[in-house]
Amino acid sequence: MIIVLKSGATEEDIQKVIDKLKEYNYGAHISRGENKVVIGAIGEKRMEEKILIMEQISSFPFVEQVIPILTPYKLVTKEFNPQGTRIKVNQVEIGNEEIVVMAGPCAVESREQLREIAGFVKEVGAKVLRGGVFKPRTSPYSFQGLGIEGLKLLYEVKNEFDIPVITEVMDPRDLDIVAEYVDIIQIGARNMQNFTLLKEVGKLRKPVLLKRGLSATLEEFLFAAEYILLGGNSEVILCERGIRTFSDFSRNTLDLSIIPALKEKTHLPVFVDPSHGTGNYRYVPSMAKAAIAAGADGLIIEVHPHPEKALSDGPQSLTFSDFRRLMNELKAIASAVGRRL
Amino acid sequence: MIIVLKSGATEEDIQKVIDKLKEYNYGAHISRGENKVVIGAIGEKRMEEKILIMEQISSFPFVEQVIPILTPYKLVTKEFNPQGTRIKVNQVEIGNEEIVVMAGPCAVESREQLREIAGFVKEVGAKVLRGGVFKPRTSPYSFQGLGIEGLKLLYEVKNEFDIPVITEVMDPRDLDIVAEYVDIIQIGARNMQNFTLLKEVGKLRKPVLLKRGLSATLEEFLFAAEYILLGGNSEVILCERGIRTFSDFSRNTLDLSIIPALKEKTHLPVFVDPSHGTGNYRYVPSMAKAAIAAGADGLIIEVHPHPEKALSDGPQSLTFSDFRRLMNELKAIASAVGRRL
Amino acid sequence: MIIVLKSGATEEDIQKVIDKLKEYNYGAHISRGENKVVIGAIGEKRMEEKILIMEQISSFPFVEQVIPILTPYKLVTKEFNPQGTRIKVNQVEIGNEEIVVMAGPCAVESREQLREIAGFVKEVGAKVLRGGVFKPRTSPYSFQGLGIEGLKLLYEVKNEFDIPVITEVMDPRDLDIVAEYVDIIQIGARNMQNFTLLKEVGKLRKPVLLKRGLSATLEEFLFAAEYILLGGNSEVILCERGIRTFSDFSRNTLDLSIIPALKEKTHLPVFVDPSHGTGNYRYVPSMAKAAIAAGADGLIIEVHPHPEKALSDGPQSLTFSDFRRLMNELKAIASAVGRRL
Amino acid sequence: MIIVLKSGATEEDIQKVIDKLKEYNYGAHISRGENKVVIGAIGEKRMEEKILIMEQISSFPFVEQVIPILTPYKLVTKEFNPQGTRIKVNQVEIGNEEIVVMAGPCAVESREQLREIAGFVKEVGAKVLRGGVFKPRTSPYSFQGLGIEGLKLLYEVKNEFDIPVITEVMDPRDLDIVAEYVDIIQIGARNMQNFTLLKEVGKLRKPVLLKRGLSATLEEFLFAAEYILLGGNSEVILCERGIRTFSDFSRNTLDLSIIPALKEKTHLPVFVDPSHGTGNYRYVPSMAKAAIAAGADGLIIEVHPHPEKALSDGPQSLTFSDFRRLMNELKAIASAVGRRL
């Protein structure tokens, strides 16, 4: 790390920094350039100590800036697995040249609804069925999902249609049962920094789709994944789903430039959720195509036969005919970027 | 609610809305003004249905906007308790004319550290001791808190110094034991929409300090509180702690205008955390004073005898002498707005 | 417009609203639904009065919300020109099925530099040459552009290579001379609400590329274009170039979902600037492809033979070989969405 | 500046950086710490070159980060004028211990309106009269101000009531006449980076109130002021007026923590505009008090005798009785922070 002192810092101040570095077995390399003193900390330390010492040095009143040099996460970095992580879920392999589309209703509402959707999305090329049973809803008065009953429906339909399923978990106490019934566990945007949940999911041996938080920086997103990998579970899919900005024509602002940024920094597959990312079914197709053009490995899309009767997120769900058309368009885009769907 | 149809909506479209409203026992009041049709939904419904039907109607392709008329939360509204909620914690009463300052270290580090701080902050006028034992940290490599051991230290020191204590909970499975040891439970910003945790906390009979999420709107903040009140626990303190914006000179942007906005809408006491709100000890005193001038009921402030040795959040912690000076300044401000400290 | 009164509004309050509406020749339609009173204003008014009366009614202390029903802009709306605006610049037609790429250096630096770039970008398929001569720079100490001298270079090179040119104007006093020398006038993001400049540009008969402001809503963006169209100049290209958000891995957050949103609301062509939108040459190709996949009509891209010697914006400029590769990739994407390049 | 190379950078890469630094007469100080190479650039350069070379070095593909060490502005820095700038306008001195309140209508509407307001605000203690005559309005259909006619009214009323006046300028061609008629020139938020205007204002010898742009960082704000000071005009007042964030209960988010941040970095006086900062008269008093408690040198507040008849910004204007009450409350706050009003 590099420590920049404020102009006016005294020799005594410099010594305090050196002493603090020594306390953690760092060497110090002083550079008295221009009108400021800059101190380089030299040494190979455990991540834990690096972070702590940076904070402590920042607290000295005569320190202007402490600049980290190394990336502060490690298991998620590209260097750690340069060929890229591939995740097998039944016959599907996420992270290779095939674009994987996960589709289904926001919420599982009934056996009939789920069967109808499962049959349809599989037919038009989706490889994974999505469906929420524990729903994080802003209002306590909104439909909260079918819970365990919904989980059983997912399991039943998954077997009937031979299609893997993904569902969101919010409560660490539900993890065991969910892991038994579904193929991929989703951590929602609101729980991206629910560290309790991340640690528990890290103990599983199940693929996890981790959604970016509404106001998460790229670094925080990677740290959240690092929590899971550190627990021993390396099958993590990162999913951009829109961030919160001042812009008000869409529910969230889909930040597609995170795709090349993540591809540069990490070996984990990158997905995009254009449904939550826009909150508007009219914008979903454009953004789905854009995501694939930008290099995403897959999509997760909300589909409902009758959005105006949906118990959740109707306004952002595609109808069957919209979804069928989109899947065709996506094939052309995938092929234009040298992939297939 | 009011439903605005797109220009070009047909009679058939209008009928679809009327039918959907009828399905939920709403009457419809059609107004064919200017070049758009506007439909008013008339009827007294449960909140649950109102929210659902709004979503469903939004999904019709010919609908432009659905506008709620009533506030969608109820237990937290001013009307529900016009004289304002007051929360007794031992001899302290939060929400009356006395400004309550909670102070202490970001993290409980040791018995000595906690005793030293407890004695000091009580002496200069703080009424509650804060101290984290379960720490939500961006990086898995940062100090995660002392856990149960820290909880016991809090309990010990609280009794020795006769000062109530507050600590953050992240895991619903920790709630019972924490409720046993501490006086006020804190829900952190990252967990403001951890609905699992909110529901569990709603079952307790313990005051809760609920921090605003980094990207939470005022409505989402009130809905989060509504989750707790709906569970039966009405002792909730709302705490502004900075939101995430583009602005980069401070760690977060402290949104003090939420104080008058909350005071207008809800009966719950409003606190401000200038430490996390700025992330910089140099800005804490100004923002603490501003918060009281703006009408806050109290503050929660990080204090550490040696910020440069703190295991967490050193850069935003006040030293003892800074805190003592601030408490004096706050007295003058409190008195200028007709309150006391 | 619809006026929602606060609960508790009296008959006298209602009368005040009716009187105010009458003052502007509006009829009033009272609806006493649930526990709130809602008043519909009925009448066909000029836009000017509508906006004024909405503001005035909002000022009554007993009014909760005033909701506009009609879009407040008109000349830019889709309805005004349903088949879409096409803009001819020499042999190029912007807004039809052909994707138009504008490329060139951030700043015109010298005759040699400009000639080298012009020849190259034309060869690989760019249809317009970009190059700044009046540079809006955050710091007064940064290179401010060659000014009039640069303008003459643009003119010279445009004629030599037979390629239309675009440049930014900041000062209304420069408009006449710039309009003489270049083919398309650019209004930069920082000037999107420089109403003086917008009005002057509205008087010209020259195509204008209007960039979205760093914190402009979609409505503000359309209003800025409305200023130009209202002046009589209807050849406006809207250009998304990234908005300012908390996200810090890219210089700005490119908001591609504005493409379908604009396509739905306006007849004006939509461009994207992935260079400023990301601020990082490594992310430019992905975002350029995504923009075309999402439905953009064209791109404006910074290209420099030696980014490490550029006098401005080197970090976001593509090298010649990067740009050549990108143009090839864009051809495939254009064809996948039924267009050509 | 400090240059951090990507891991994997070769000796050849290092040499390229050294050569580039030499080209600008910088020395290089190589530090091969841990697994990255860090290069310190040593030398005293003009600001212009520093900024250019930083950009150019950032463009090398093997460079990870370039970190400036010195602040990139100079005339605005605290060091440049440690005792703080004081600005005399008639008998008023801005920047000393007296809090200066500027008040008046958003827009000058008529002689009667302006006289009524001038007399009142002066009576209750405002020291400067505000009033817009050139109005920057989002919509071209909104009232655009009285223009030159309004300017003459300002001049007339200023003389009649012996109170200095402030008004906004948007067009550089209006500057001369405005400077003749008014005492303080305001640059609005939308024009904070209208560099043409900043340069022209820098040539005047008139106090300037510069409002922070809606999405301006602290650094950009200071650079905008630097443009003015560099022109020779050192009488600049910085004014926070709210930034654009996701938060939607207020028109803008008033960022009061910029007060201590500016006070630390610059010698210029700092004002706050709680009217635009909140967009809601109900929040103005709280925020006005908070601003003074946080250390602001003054306020600029919109006051109108009949907000429901105002031609502009009625919803955020205080009535006479609200303003009178506020001025009394402000006196108590000013005294609590050791100042007077």
Side-chain angles (χ1 to χ4, degrees):
Chain A
M1 94 198 64
I2 288 167
I3 299 134
V4 183
L5 304 194
K6 290 188 186 162
S7 50
T10 64
E11 287 304 313
E12 201 184 345
D13 294 339
I14 297 172
Q15 195 55 46
K16 276 185 195 156
V17 173
I18 296 174
D19 292 350
K20 172 59 75 177
L21 288 172
K22 246 188 220 155
E23 194 183 320
Y24 287 89
N25 288 313
Y26 270 101
H29 178 286
I30 318 294
S31 153
R32 293 162 198 269
E34 313 185 15
N35 55 16
K36 299 221 174 168
V37 173
V38 175
I39 302 174
I42 291 166
E44 215 29 279
K45 308 301 301 176
R46 282 181 310 118
M47 195 69 71
E48 289 81 337
E49 284 188 11
K50 262 180 214 156
I51 291 178
L52 177 58
I53 196 176
M54 278 189 58
E55 278 201 354
Q56 293 190 342
I57 289 181
S58 300
S59 305
F60 282 122
F62 49 85
V63 166
E64 188 163 293
Q65 254 190 302
V66 178
I67 303 152
I69 296 303
L70 285 177
T71 50
Y73 30 80
K74 48 189 173 191
L75 304 178
V76 299
T77 56
K78 192 86 178 170
E79 291 74 23
F80 202 78
N81 183 3
Q83 79 280 24
T85 286
R86 295 179 175 206
I87 299 171
K88 288 269 301 187
V89 184
N90 301 359
Q91 293 92 311
V92 186
E93 196 179 48
I94 290 165
N96 71 10
E97 64 278 13
E98 188 178 354
I99 302 294
V100 173
V101 176
M102 307 180 178
C106 178
V108 173
E109 299 170 6
S110 69
R111 176 177 291 111
E112 298 63 42
Q113 175 235 29
L114 196 60
R115 292 186 67 246
E116 182 182 1
I117 297 176
F120 172 74
V121 300
K122 183 171 180 183
E123 179 207 321
V124 298
K127 291 291 161 60
V128 176
L129 176 68
R130 64 151 288 151
V133 299
F134 304 108
K135 302 299 307 167
R137 303 305 297 270
T138 299
S139 166
Y141 305 111
S142 293
F143 174 58
Q144 308 275 316
L146 294 181
I148 302 297
E149 184 200 341
L151 210 52
K152 290 180 182 163
L153 290 177
L154 271 179
Y155 187 71
E156 192 185 311
V157 171
K158 145 198 162 82
N159 288 327
E160 180 183 349
F161 290 86
D162 187 27
I163 183 170
V165 295
I166 177 172
T167 206
E168 177 170 354
V169 181
M170 303 197 301
D171 190 330
R173 296 167 299 191
D174 293 331
L175 266 179
D176 286 346
I177 185 162
V178 171
E180 219 174 285
Y181 283 115
V182 309
D183 304 280
I184 308 177
I185 286 173
Q186 178 181 315
I187 303 291
R190 290 176 187 75
N191 282 310
M192 192 203 82
Q193 290 193 314
N194 181 334
F195 301 114
T196 301
L197 199 55
L198 296 177
K199 286 176 185 171
E200 292 293 332
V201 161
K203 294 179 194 158
L204 297 177
R205 293 299 168 270
K206 264 281 167 190
V208 176
L209 183 135
L210 175 68
K211 288 199 166 178
R212 181 183 182 188
L214 269 79
S215 57
T217 62
L218 181 142
E219 186 170 297
E220 289 170 342
F221 194 13
L222 289 176
F223 266 133
E226 184 90 3
Y227 264 98
I228 301 174
L229 269 69
L230 195 58
N233 186 353
S234 58
E235 301 198 313
V236 175
I237 302 159
L238 300 172
C239 183
E240 161 67 25
R241 48 77 72 209
I243 55 172
R244 194 152 265 183
T245 73
F246 70 86
S247 185
D248 56 3
F249 68 87
S250 51
R251 184 170 164 190
N252 297 292
T253 296
L254 194 65
D255 183 13
L256 291 180
S257 48
I258 205 170
I259 300 171
L262 287 173
K263 284 287 168 190
E264 182 181 71
K265 291 188 198 308
T266 180
H267 55 81
L268 299 170
V270 178
F271 269 52
V272 169
D273 172 352
S275 306
H276 287 88
T278 63
N280 187 328
Y281 71 92
R282 298 196 304 274
Y283 308 155
V284 168
S286 295
M287 290 302 101
K289 288 183 275 183
I292 300 308
D297 296 301
L299 298 165
I300 179 162
I301 298 179
E302 292 187 354
V303 176
H304 198 284
H306 311 289
E308 77 282 5
K309 292 186 182 161
L311 294 181
S312 173
D313 277 352
Q316 70 195 34
S317 296
L318 295 187
T319 60
F320 281 9
S321 63
D322 284 346
F323 183 63
R324 185 191 296 275
R325 187 179 319 112
L326 174 59
M327 288 296 279
N328 277 324
E329 294 175 352
L330 287 175
K331 273 174 195 133
I333 300 282
S335 146
V337 292
R339 305 182 76 162
R340 64 198 156 73
L341 178 145
Chain B
M1 97 198 61
I2 287 167
I3 298 134
V4 183
L5 304 193
K6 288 189 185 161
S7 50
T10 64
E11 287 304 312
E12 203 184 341
D13 294 339
I14 297 173
Q15 195 56 45
K16 276 186 196 158
V17 174
I18 298 175
D19 292 350
K20 171 61 73 180
L21 289 171
K22 245 186 221 156
E23 195 183 320
Y24 287 90
N25 289 314
Y26 270 101
H29 178 285
I30 318 293
S31 154
R32 292 161 199 271
E34 312 188 13
N35 54 15
K36 298 221 177 169
V37 173
V38 175
I39 301 174
I42 293 167
E44 216 28 282
K45 307 302 300 177
R46 282 180 311 119
M47 196 68 72
E48 290 82 335
E49 284 189 11
K50 262 181 216 157
I51 290 178
L52 177 58
I53 195 174
M54 278 190 57
E55 278 202 352
Q56 294 190 343
I57 288 181
S58 300
S59 305
F60 282 123
F62 49 84
V63 166
E64 189 164 295
Q65 256 192 299
V66 178
I67 304 152
I69 297 303
L70 287 176
T71 50
Y73 30 80
K74 49 191 172 190
L75 305 178
V76 298
T77 57
K78 192 87 180 171
E79 292 74 21
F80 202 79
N81 182 3
Q83 79 280 22
T85 286
R86 293 178 177 208
I87 299 171
K88 288 267 303 186
V89 184
N90 302 0
Q91 293 93 307
V92 186
E93 196 178 47
I94 291 165
N96 71 10
E97 64 278 13
E98 187 177 354
I99 302 293
V100 173
V101 176
M102 307 180 179
C106 178
V108 173
E109 298 170 7
S110 69
R111 175 177 292 110
E112 298 64 42
Q113 175 235 30
L114 196 61
R115 293 185 67 247
E116 181 181 2
I117 298 175
F120 172 73
V121 300
K122 183 172 182 181
E123 178 208 321
V124 299
K127 290 291 162 60
V128 177
L129 176 68
R130 63 150 289 153
V133 299
F134 303 108
K135 300 300 304 169
R137 304 302 299 270
T138 299
S139 166
Y141 305 111
S142 294
F143 175 59
Q144 308 275 318
L146 293 182
I148 302 299
E149 183 200 341
L151 210 53
K152 291 182 183 162
L153 289 178
L154 272 179
Y155 188 71
E156 193 186 310
V157 171
K158 143 198 163 82
N159 287 328
E160 180 182 349
F161 290 87
D162 188 27
I163 182 168
V165 293
I166 177 172
T167 207
E168 176 170 354
V169 181
M170 303 197 301
D171 190 330
R173 296 167 299 192
D174 292 330
L175 267 178
D176 285 345
I177 186 164
V178 172
E180 221 173 282
Y181 283 115
V182 309
D183 303 280
I184 308 177
I185 285 173
Q186 178 180 316
I187 303 290
R190 290 176 187 76
N191 282 312
M192 191 202 84
Q193 289 194 316
N194 181 335
F195 302 114
T196 301
L197 199 56
L198 297 177
K199 286 175 185 172
E200 293 293 332
V201 162
K203 294 178 195 159
L204 298 178
R205 293 299 168 268
K206 265 280 165 188
V208 176
L209 183 134
L210 176 68
K211 289 199 165 178
R212 182 184 183 187
L214 269 80
S215 57
T217 62
L218 181 141
E219 186 171 297
E220 289 169 342
F221 193 15
L222 289 176
F223 265 134
E226 184 90 4
Y227 264 98
I228 301 174
L229 270 69
L230 195 59
N233 185 352
S234 59
E235 301 198 313
V236 175
I237 302 159
L238 300 172
C239 183
E240 161 68 25
R241 48 78 71 210
I243 56 173
R244 193 152 266 182
T245 74
F246 70 87
S247 186
D248 56 1
F249 69 86
S250 50
R251 184 172 165 188
N252 297 291
T253 296
L254 194 67
D255 183 13
L256 291 179
S257 48
I258 206 169
I259 300 171
L262 287 172
K263 285 286 167 192
E264 181 182 74
K265 291 187 196 307
T266 181
H267 55 81
L268 299 171
V270 178
F271 268 52
V272 169
D273 172 352
S275 306
H276 288 87
T278 62
N280 187 330
Y281 71 92
R282 298 195 303 273
Y283 308 155
V284 169
S286 294
M287 290 302 101
K289 288 183 274 183
I292 300 309
D297 297 301
L299 298 165
I300 178 162
I301 298 179
E302 292 187 353
V303 175
H304 197 286
H306 311 288
E308 77 282 5
K309 291 187 185 162
L311 293 181
S312 174
D313 277 353
Q316 69 194 35
S317 296
L318 295 187
T319 59
F320 280 10
S321 64
D322 285 345
F323 183 63
R324 185 191 297 273
R325 187 180 319 112
L326 174 58
M327 289 297 279
N328 278 326
E329 294 174 350
L330 287 175
K331 272 175 196 130
I333 300 281
S335 147
V337 292
R339 304 181 77 161
R340 64 194 155 78
L341 178 146
Chain C
M1 93 199 63
I2 288 167
I3 299 134
V4 183
L5 305 192
K6 289 189 184 162
S7 49
T10 64
E11 287 304 312
E12 202 185 342
D13 294 338
I14 297 173
Q15 195 55 46
K16 277 186 195 158
V17 173
I18 296 174
D19 292 349
K20 171 61 75 180
L21 289 171
K22 248 189 218 153
E23 194 183 321
Y24 288 88
N25 289 314
Y26 270 102
H29 178 284
I30 318 295
S31 155
R32 294 161 197 272
E34 311 187 16
N35 55 15
K36 299 223 174 166
V37 173
V38 175
I39 302 174
I42 291 168
E44 214 30 277
K45 308 300 302 175
R46 283 181 309 119
M47 195 70 70
E48 290 81 337
E49 286 189 10
K50 260 180 216 156
I51 291 179
L52 177 58
I53 195 176
M54 278 189 57
E55 278 202 352
Q56 294 189 342
I57 289 182
S58 299
S59 306
F60 282 123
F62 50 83
V63 166
E64 188 163 295
Q65 256 191 298
V66 179
I67 302 153
I69 296 304
L70 285 176
T71 50
Y73 30 81
K74 47 189 172 193
L75 305 177
V76 298
T77 57
K78 192 88 180 169
E79 292 73 23
F80 201 78
N81 181 4
Q83 79 278 22
T85 287
R86 293 178 177 206
I87 298 171
K88 287 269 302 187
V89 184
N90 301 0
Q91 293 92 309
V92 185
E93 198 179 48
I94 291 165
N96 71 11
E97 64 278 13
E98 188 178 353
I99 302 295
V100 173
V101 175
M102 306 179 179
C106 179
V108 174
E109 298 171 7
S110 68
R111 175 177 292 111
E112 297 63 44
Q113 175 235 30
L114 195 61
R115 291 185 69 244
E116 181 182 1
I117 297 176
F120 172 73
V121 300
K122 184 172 179 182
E123 178 207 322
V124 300
K127 290 294 162 59
V128 177
L129 176 67
R130 64 150 289 151
V133 299
F134 304 108
K135 302 300 307 169
R137 303 303 299 270
T138 298
S139 166
Y141 305 111
S142 293
F143 174 58
Q144 308 275 316
L146 293 183
I148 302 297
E149 184 201 340
L151 209 52
K152 290 179 183 163
L153 290 178
L154 272 178
Y155 188 70
E156 192 187 310
V157 170
K158 141 199 165 80
N159 288 327
E160 179 183 349
F161 290 88
D162 187 28
I163 183 168
V165 295
I166 178 172
T167 206
E168 176 170 355
V169 181
M170 304 197 298
D171 190 331
R173 296 167 300 191
D174 292 330
L175 267 179
D176 286 345
I177 185 164
V178 172
E180 222 175 279
Y181 283 114
V182 309
D183 304 281
I184 308 176
I185 285 172
Q186 178 181 315
I187 303 291
R190 289 176 187 76
N191 282 309
M192 192 202 82
Q193 290 194 315
N194 181 335
F195 301 115
T196 301
L197 200 56
L198 297 177
K199 286 175 185 173
E200 293 292 334
V201 161
K203 296 178 192 159
L204 298 177
R205 292 301 167 268
K206 264 283 166 190
V208 176
L209 183 135
L210 175 69
K211 289 199 166 177
R212 182 184 184 187
L214 270 79
S215 58
T217 63
L218 181 141
E219 186 171 296
E220 289 170 340
F221 194 14
L222 288 176
F223 266 134
E226 185 90 2
Y227 264 98
I228 301 175
L229 270 70
L230 196 58
N233 185 352
S234 60
E235 301 198 313
V236 175
I237 302 159
L238 301 171
C239 183
E240 161 67 24
R241 48 76 74 211
I243 55 172
R244 195 152 266 182
T245 74
F246 70 85
S247 186
D248 56 2
F249 69 87
S250 50
R251 182 170 164 192
N252 296 290
T253 296
L254 193 67
D255 183 13
L256 291 179
S257 48
I258 205 171
I259 300 171
L262 287 173
K263 285 286 166 190
E264 181 181 73
K265 290 188 198 306
T266 181
H267 54 81
L268 299 171
V270 178
F271 269 52
V272 169
D273 173 351
S275 306
H276 287 88
T278 62
N280 188 328
Y281 72 91
R282 297 196 305 273
Y283 307 156
V284 169
S286 295
M287 290 302 101
K289 288 183 274 182
I292 300 308
D297 296 301
L299 299 165
I300 179 163
I301 298 180
E302 292 188 352
V303 175
H304 199 286
H306 310 289
E308 78 281 6
K309 291 185 184 162
L311 294 180
S312 173
D313 276 353
Q316 70 195 34
S317 297
L318 295 188
T319 59
F320 280 9
S321 64
D322 284 346
F323 184 63
R324 185 191 296 275
R325 189 180 317 113
L326 173 58
M327 288 297 279
N328 278 325
E329 294 174 351
L330 287 175
K331 274 176 195 130
I333 301 282
S335 146
V337 293
R339 303 181 79 161
R340 65 196 154 75
L341 178 144
Chain D
M1 94 198 63
I2 287 167
I3 299 135
V4 184
L5 304 193
K6 288 188 185 161
S7 50
T10 63
E11 287 303 313
E12 203 183 343
D13 294 340
I14 298 172
Q15 195 56 45
K16 276 185 195 158
V17 173
I18 296 175
D19 291 349
K20 171 62 74 181
L21 289 172
K22 246 188 221 156
E23 196 183 320
Y24 288 88
N25 289 315
Y26 270 101
H29 179 285
I30 319 293
S31 154
R32 293 161 197 272
E34 310 187 17
N35 53 16
K36 298 220 177 171
V37 172
V38 175
I39 301 175
I42 292 166
E44 213 32 277
K45 308 302 300 177
R46 281 181 311 121
M47 196 67 72
E48 288 83 336
E49 285 188 11
K50 260 182 216 155
I51 290 179
L52 177 58
I53 197 178
M54 278 188 60
E55 278 201 355
Q56 294 190 342
I57 288 181
S58 299
S59 305
F60 282 121
F62 49 82
V63 166
E64 188 163 296
Q65 256 191 301
V66 178
I67 303 151
I69 296 304
L70 286 176
T71 51
Y73 28 82
K74 48 189 171 191
L75 304 177
V76 299
T77 56
K78 192 87 178 171
E79 291 76 21
F80 201 79
N81 182 3
Q83 80 279 24
T85 287
R86 292 177 176 208
I87 298 172
K88 287 268 303 186
V89 184
N90 302 359
Q91 294 92 310
V92 186
E93 196 178 50
I94 291 165
N96 71 9
E97 64 279 12
E98 188 178 354
I99 302 294
V100 173
V101 176
M102 307 180 178
C106 178
V108 173
E109 298 170 7
S110 69
R111 175 176 292 109
E112 297 64 44
Q113 175 236 31
L114 196 61
R115 291 185 68 243
E116 181 181 2
I117 298 175
F120 171 73
V121 300
K122 183 171 179 181
E123 178 208 321
V124 299
K127 291 290 161 62
V128 177
L129 176 67
R130 64 150 289 151
V133 299
F134 303 108
K135 301 298 306 168
R137 303 302 299 269
T138 297
S139 166
Y141 305 111
S142 293
F143 175 58
Q144 307 275 317
L146 293 182
I148 302 296
E149 185 200 338
L151 210 51
K152 290 180 183 162
L153 291 177
L154 272 179
Y155 187 70
E156 194 186 309
V157 171
K158 140 199 165 83
N159 288 326
E160 180 182 349
F161 290 87
D162 187 27
I163 182 169
V165 295
I166 178 172
T167 206
E168 176 170 355
V169 180
M170 304 197 298
D171 191 330
R173 296 166 300 192
D174 293 331
L175 267 179
D176 286 345
I177 186 163
V178 172
E180 222 173 283
Y181 284 115
V182 309
D183 303 282
I184 308 177
I185 285 173
Q186 178 181 315
I187 302 290
R190 288 175 189 77
N191 283 309
M192 191 202 84
Q193 289 193 316
N194 181 335
F195 301 114
T196 301
L197 200 55
L198 297 177
K199 286 176 185 172
E200 293 292 332
V201 161
K203 295 178 194 159
L204 298 176
R205 294 299 168 268
K206 266 278 165 192
V208 176
L209 183 134
L210 176 68
K211 288 198 165 177
R212 181 183 183 188
L214 270 79
S215 57
T217 61
L218 180 141
E219 185 172 296
E220 289 170 340
F221 194 14
L222 289 177
F223 265 134
E226 183 91 4
Y227 265 98
I228 302 174
L229 271 69
L230 195 58
N233 186 351
S234 59
E235 301 197 314
V236 175
I237 302 159
L238 300 171
C239 182
E240 162 67 24
R241 47 77 73 210
I243 55 172
R244 193 152 266 181
T245 73
F246 70 86
S247 186
D248 56 2
F249 69 86
S250 51
R251 184 172 165 189
N252 296 292
T253 296
L254 194 66
D255 183 14
L256 292 179
S257 49
I258 205 170
I259 300 171
L262 287 173
K263 285 286 169 193
E264 181 182 71
K265 291 186 197 307
T266 181
H267 55 82
L268 299 170
V270 178
F271 268 53
V272 169
D273 173 351
S275 306
H276 287 89
T278 63
N280 188 328
Y281 73 91
R282 300 195 303 275
Y283 308 156
V284 168
S286 296
M287 289 302 101
K289 287 183 274 183
I292 301 309
D297 297 300
L299 299 165
I300 178 162
I301 298 180
E302 292 188 352
V303 175
H304 198 285
H306 311 288
E308 76 283 5
K309 290 185 183 161
L311 293 181
S312 174
D313 277 353
Q316 70 194 32
S317 296
L318 295 188
T319 59
F320 281 9
S321 64
D322 284 346
F323 183 63
R324 186 191 296 275
R325 188 181 317 113
L326 173 59
M327 288 297 280
N328 278 326
E329 293 174 353
L330 288 175
K331 273 176 196 131
I333 300 282
S335 146
V337 293
R339 303 182 78 162
R340 65 197 154 75
L341 178 144

